[in-house]
Amino acid sequence: MAQNTRTVPAGTPTNVTQKHTKGGIGESTLRPDGTLKVTGEFAYSSDMWHEDMLWGQTLRSTVAHAEIVSIDISEALAMPGVYSVLTYDDLPAEMKNYGLEIQDTPVLAHGRVRHHGEPVALVAADHPETARRAAAKIKIEYKELPLVTDEASALAPGAPLIHEGRDDHHIGHVPHPNIVHRQPIIRGNVEEARKRADVIVEGEYTFGMQDQAFLGPESGLAVPSEDGGVELYVATQWLHSDLGQIAPVLGLPPEKVRMTLSGVGGAFGGREDISMQIHACLLALATNKPVKIVYNRFESFFGHVHRHPAKLYYEHGATKDGKLTHMKCKIVLDGGAYASASPAVVGNASSLSVGPYVLEDVDIEAIALYTNNPPCGAMRGFGAVQACFAYEAQMDKLAAKLGMDPVEFRQLNAMEMGTVMPTGQVVDAPAPVAELLRRVKARPLPPERQWETAGENADVRALPGGLSNTTHGESVVRGVGYAVGIKNVGFSEGFDDYSTARVRLEVINGEPVAMVHTAMAEVGQGGITVHAQIARTELGVTQVTIHPADTQVGSAGSTSASRQTYMTGGAVKNTCEAVREALLEIGRRKNGSYHPAWATAELLLEGGKVVTDGGEVLADIAEILEDEAIDLELEYRHHPTVPFDLVTGQGNGHVQYTFAAHRAVVEVDTELGLVKVVELATAQDVGKALNMLSVVGQIQGGTTQGLGVAIMEEIIVDPKTAKVRNPSFTDYLIPTILDTPTIPVDVLELADPKAPYGLRGMGEAPTLSSTPAVIAAIRQATGLDINKTPIRPEMLTGTL
Amino acid sequence: MRVNFTVNGRPQEADDVWEGESLLYVLRERMGLPGSKNACEQGECGSCTVRLDGVPVCSCLVAAGQVEGRDVVTVEGLAEFAKQRDEHGHGGACGTGGGCGSKGGVSLDEAKRWQSKPGDSQTGEGVELSNIQQAFIDAGAVQCGFCTPGLLVQADALLEENSSPSDQDIREALSGNLCRCTGYEKILDAVRLAAARQSEAV
């Protein structure tokens, strides 16, 4: 059987087999890598090891915007144990930049640094500490340049241009070179519609810079190969996208860069961009030795892009009977120094800025800026998160002004199948927005003031402040808040979004075995679990082997945009169907003359046998195959989309929509400004749950990331210096188990007829509405008008 | 410097240890035991939690030199550790220098009595899992799994001290272990499940 037989790293996740289990789609089968992960044997990218291996270290800029006057590497190079020191001058190819869409990111800074933490030089040494000390001995002279830190400074007359001489395809339509991309959406007539409004509300909202904060740091191992190429074992979200960016800057043809996915410790969008991949390859090729790079947490905060912080300006109107009349908004996303995924984030923010509501008259504009702040790009929710925070606050404001219940107001305006989006796209699959809200609202509320009613069993740990014992409930108030959101699934705006799967069916030890080979990055979401389930369902076998993800098979696209089960799951399904057809063809050839059902009946594969739809067994799969193997590789595409018009924003840009609703119950100690989220109930439509255990796990995880941004998570960038002030888990806080409440989950399964099995991509949606629900609950508890994430204690105590 | 200590029941010797090296680095890079994870290396996330003379510690905050003559249990040895505990009981007999506190724990002598067993490092087949390890798999508490080793060591220590923890007890005990994937609900489920199975087994 085809297997990865490379001997290099200690235990790349390889042959995961589940034996003697039915385990088809719809069952909550367990993770095939679960045992490895609970025993510590699973090899994450930071666990890679190779004999004679060196350690790579990156030297990063200590200033945000400066000209590099000089770099002196002599002292670093002279240190015992140091094998190589590389700067911009050592880059081997003409191509010296990379980027997801716009190649504007230097592999190593050339002449100028544009943000705090930008890579400037690389060191390879025989011990990580030696590499760190050597990097610290590199002397760089900077001449600081004026900073661009926000919309005003980016667009001011005479503002420094972050990228002079831009020649990307967005430059022709943006009003200023410090704007990466601009997407307006104009539909209907806002001025006319406004006349119908009985109430109008305006709001200005600020969304802080969130970090993916995956636990496994950026890391990997590059091994030079005999043909002058390199093998790279790395944690990423999209092997082939990395490959397309790595090979040109190494000056190698793509076939000489062989990539294998190693264990990924979470991603959430933070691994869509290149981090250490190219650096490790450069050092390996320069030293002709294997080189491992592992970021520490501090460096990880500089090593990946973050969620775009945003300013959002909204105006909504409604009639006195609660119907929305119009919406105007401007969304300003801070993309930081390099483009990363900013153009696509702009497309999402604008096209989803209305939320899951019926609104025919809109005037929308979204832009992303180039600034000297840290680069921002993909993170779970991707532009839809920021918009959801704002439009849901607006819904609450409108409901309050009209004296209506906030849930009823939303339900009154909720979109449904057939609704026309502001882009003109018709929602052509179930859109159970009102129903999701109904479900979270109908759930019984957790008991109030438990610390009083529990008597002797009262547990101070349940109060805001918890173990710190800061209150016994004197100033604690409760609030309940609701929110619902809409997210697109898959890559939009005409992107050729496809995935590839190779499926091999053969007989091993008398039993039919399917091998599934894709380049899908398993980042923890459970894709490998559902691939095995799909293969079992389609091929009727119990044994499925998941081949390690590598670049020896076609691209699977990115593990992002809630697309992998749809796309690579779809590819596995399609390829299995073709394998099944090929098997039946062999069966017809061999056995067709013995039984008429081979030609006349609908044939299925079940329990290792070919059966008719009436349940009659025709043959064993093993008997049909004998020594033959069926081995097919096919691509799968979703229905095509088109780019949004650059003036009107019209166009069928999205593949599929996904919806989630939340109800948050919070308790706030108004004296100390401490928030305890008591419960965060969720309802989501997933179309079809291929694996309910994984689905619920994703919903709870996504919900918690939304909770984090509501009450604690923010990368703080000093506005005067554009330097990051909290790059550590001491200072950048993510929710602990004490901060995270019970998360009851209600899953709907309304099939999308166009999707494989009717499924709906679901990983991102729960992150959207969780944040506004928590903040709505805090507003309700405190009566304060809060328009910013994350909430800080001083915002609740009036001591800001 | 040279450091002698016991890891998962086996005496180990590490040579040329740089004085600033952490126990985590020695385990991962010198002993070939990468199960303890390097997520923050600052004592904030709990991913590198091991038992040091029975006490759960962040191995990133322990200097390698501090473990001279002491006993370390990592996630790789957790199943065998739990098995031997079940067979021999722990009885709360802490060594004087063990620092295992008033609530019990596993003593140095007890820790020395057991040996780890090799498993199939690729498929995990044939590996005997501890109660808490199996519960994490069954409850769906493992996603990316990077936090899992630390959580397992911490949760196992909790259940050793408190066989029927309340939800608040579990939350308190695991509050030093960050997880970014699960939202913790299934981790709570796993600990509850392990506790229930433990009480059934008694």
Side-chain angles (χ1 to χ4, degrees), chain B residues 85-86 131-132 135 158-160 162-165 190-202:
Chain B
R85 176 178 58 208
D86 291 346
N131 181 26
I132 191 71
L158 164 70
L159 293 176
E160 184 180 295
N162 181 354
S163 58
S164 56
V191 180
R192 292 183 197 119
L193 178 64
R197 286 175 177 170
Q198 189 170 294
S199 68
E200 275 170 23
V202 170

Side-chain angles (χ1 to χ4, degrees), chain A residues 58-61 66-68 71 86-91 96-98 105-115 117-122 140 142 279 338:
Chain A
T58 326
L59 179 70
R60 292 172 180 274
S61 162
E67 186 187 320
I68 298 173
I71 304 179
L86 302 178
T87 67
Y88 165 73
D89 291 337
D90 302 303
L91 296 179
K96 297 178 196 305
N97 288 354
Y98 64 89
T105 313
V107 173
L108 292 168
H110 20 132
R112 179 176 167 195
V113 292
R114 294 181 178 83
H115 68 91
E118 179 162 352
V120 181
L122 303 169
I140 304 177
Y142 292 109
H279 295 159
Y338 297 105

Side-chain angles (χ1 to χ4, degrees), chain A residues 389-736:
Chain A
F389 171 61
Y391 63 66
E392 286 302 86
Q394 289 283 102
M395 292 303 118
D396 284 341
K397 274 190 189 179
L398 279 169
K401 206 159 182 178
L402 291 164
M404 291 182 73
D405 175 271
V407 171
E408 284 170 21
F409 176 74
R410 284 174 171 85
Q411 287 171 324
L412 195 59
N413 292 286
M415 67 158 54
E416 51 195 21
M417 189 149 76
T419 296
V420 180
M421 295 288 289
T423 54
Q425 186 162 7
V426 177
V427 177
D428 60 357
V433 178
E435 173 63 10
L436 293 171
L437 284 161
R438 190 193 68 75
R439 287 182 177 229
V440 289
K441 191 181 178 188
R443 188 178 282 278
L445 282 162
E448 287 200 56
R449 302 189 81 78
Q450 292 178 78
W451 57 91
E452 288 173 358
T453 51
E456 282 183 11
N457 296 324
D459 194 332
V460 71
R461 293 177 295 186
L463 280 156
L467 280 169
S468 308
N469 200 14
T470 50
T471 181
H472 288 262
E474 307 82 49
S475 301
V476 174
V477 291
R478 172 178 277 202
V480 180
Y482 294 89
V484 59
I486 177 172
K487 175 71 185 56
N488 61 319
V489 171
F491 282 14
S492 302
E493 300 186 60
F495 191 86
D496 181 21
D497 192 13
Y498 70 93
S499 183
T500 316
R502 185 177 151 226
V503 176
R504 183 180 170 91
L505 184 65
E506 64 188 326
V507 180
I508 297 173
N509 297 329
E511 209 181 334
V513 178
M515 187 275 297
V516 177
H517 187 181
T518 75
M520 178 203 68
E522 167 62 45
V523 303
Q525 84 280 19
I528 54 171
T529 321
V530 297
H531 288 179
Q533 291 176 267
I534 291 169
R536 287 191 203 104
T537 295
E538 299 302 331
L539 296 174
V541 301
T542 52
Q543 269 208 62
V544 180
T545 301
I546 305 293
H547 191 284
D550 57 30
T551 51
Q552 307 301 306
V553 65
S555 175
S558 183
T559 301
S560 57
S562 301
R563 66 179 282 289
Q564 271 302 19
T565 303
Y566 192 127
M567 294 303 299
T568 305
V572 172
K573 177 175 187 279
N574 260 23
T575 311
C576 283
E577 283 167 357
V579 167
R580 183 173 66 206
E581 213 31 64
L583 175 83
L584 294 176
E585 196 47 50
I586 298 171
R588 284 187 198 102
R589 202 175 65 224
K590 287 184 177 172
N591 302 337
S593 55
Y594 301 119
H595 197 301
W598 280 102
T600 55
E602 184 85 11
L603 300 181
L604 311 167
L605 303 185
E606 277 175 14
K609 296 175 193 312
V610 179
V611 297
T612 66
D613 52 357
E616 191 180 355
V617 175
L618 294 185
D620 284 348
I621 293 174
E623 282 171 16
I624 297 172
L625 271 178
E626 294 177 304
D627 295 337
E628 279 186 75
I630 301 168
D631 198 328
L632 295 173
E633 180 176 325
L634 295 176
E635 284 176 4
Y636 174 77
R637 280 174 169 75
H638 56 66
H639 59 93
T641 61
V642 301
F644 299 126
D645 183 272
L646 287 170
V647 177
T648 64
Q650 299 301 294
N652 290 341
H654 292 312
V655 180
Q656 186 192 50
Y657 300 103
T658 182
F659 308 90
H662 281 91
R663 182 190 69 195
V665 180
V666 305
E667 280 160 0
V668 182
D669 177 357
T670 53
E671 285 183 342
L672 291 174
L674 299 177
V675 174
K676 174 88 181 178
V677 182
V678 177
E679 190 198 76
L680 200 39
T682 311
Q684 184 169 340
D685 177 21
V686 303
K688 163 77 181 170
L690 298 200
N691 185 312
M692 190 62 87
L693 192 69
S694 299
V695 162
V696 171
Q698 284 288 300
I699 293 174
Q700 289 168 335
T703 296
T704 304
Q705 290 186 341
L707 159 75
V709 85
I711 61 173
M712 60 179 74
E713 290 187 38
E714 185 182 19
I715 290 183
I716 298 167
V717 182
D718 188 319
K720 291 197 183 75
T721 61
K723 289 188 187 180
V724 177
R725 288 165 60 177
N726 58 341
S728 74
F729 275 170
T730 309
D731 299 306
Y732 182 91
L733 303 180
I734 68 172
T736 71

Side-chain angles (χ1 to χ4, degrees), chain B residues 81-154:
Chain B
F81 179 80
K83 186 177 169 192
Q84 305 240 353
R85 176 178 58 208
D86 291 346
E87 286 172 6
H88 302 297
H90 60 78
C94 294
T96 48
C100 47
S102 58
K103 290 180 176 174
V106 174
S107 75
L108 203 62
D109 287 346
E110 284 163 340
K112 280 178 181 164
R113 280 205 295 267
W114 58 274
Q115 297 282 313
S116 71
K117 281 183 190 165
D120 180 337
S121 68
Q122 285 305 304
T123 63
E125 283 170 23
V127 174
E128 271 186 68
L129 299 179
S130 69
N131 181 26
I132 191 71
Q133 286 170 319
Q134 191 62 52
F136 263 61
I137 295 176
D138 294 344
V142 180
Q143 290 187 23
C144 93
F146 208 80
C147 66
T148 304
L151 275 162
L152 289 169
V153 172
Q154 193 72 51

Side-chain angles (χ1 to χ4, degrees), chain A residues 32-45:
Chain A
D33 56 6
T35 304
L36 290 174
K37 285 181 173 176
V38 299
T39 54
E41 304 279 354
F42 185 81
Y44 293 90
S45 56

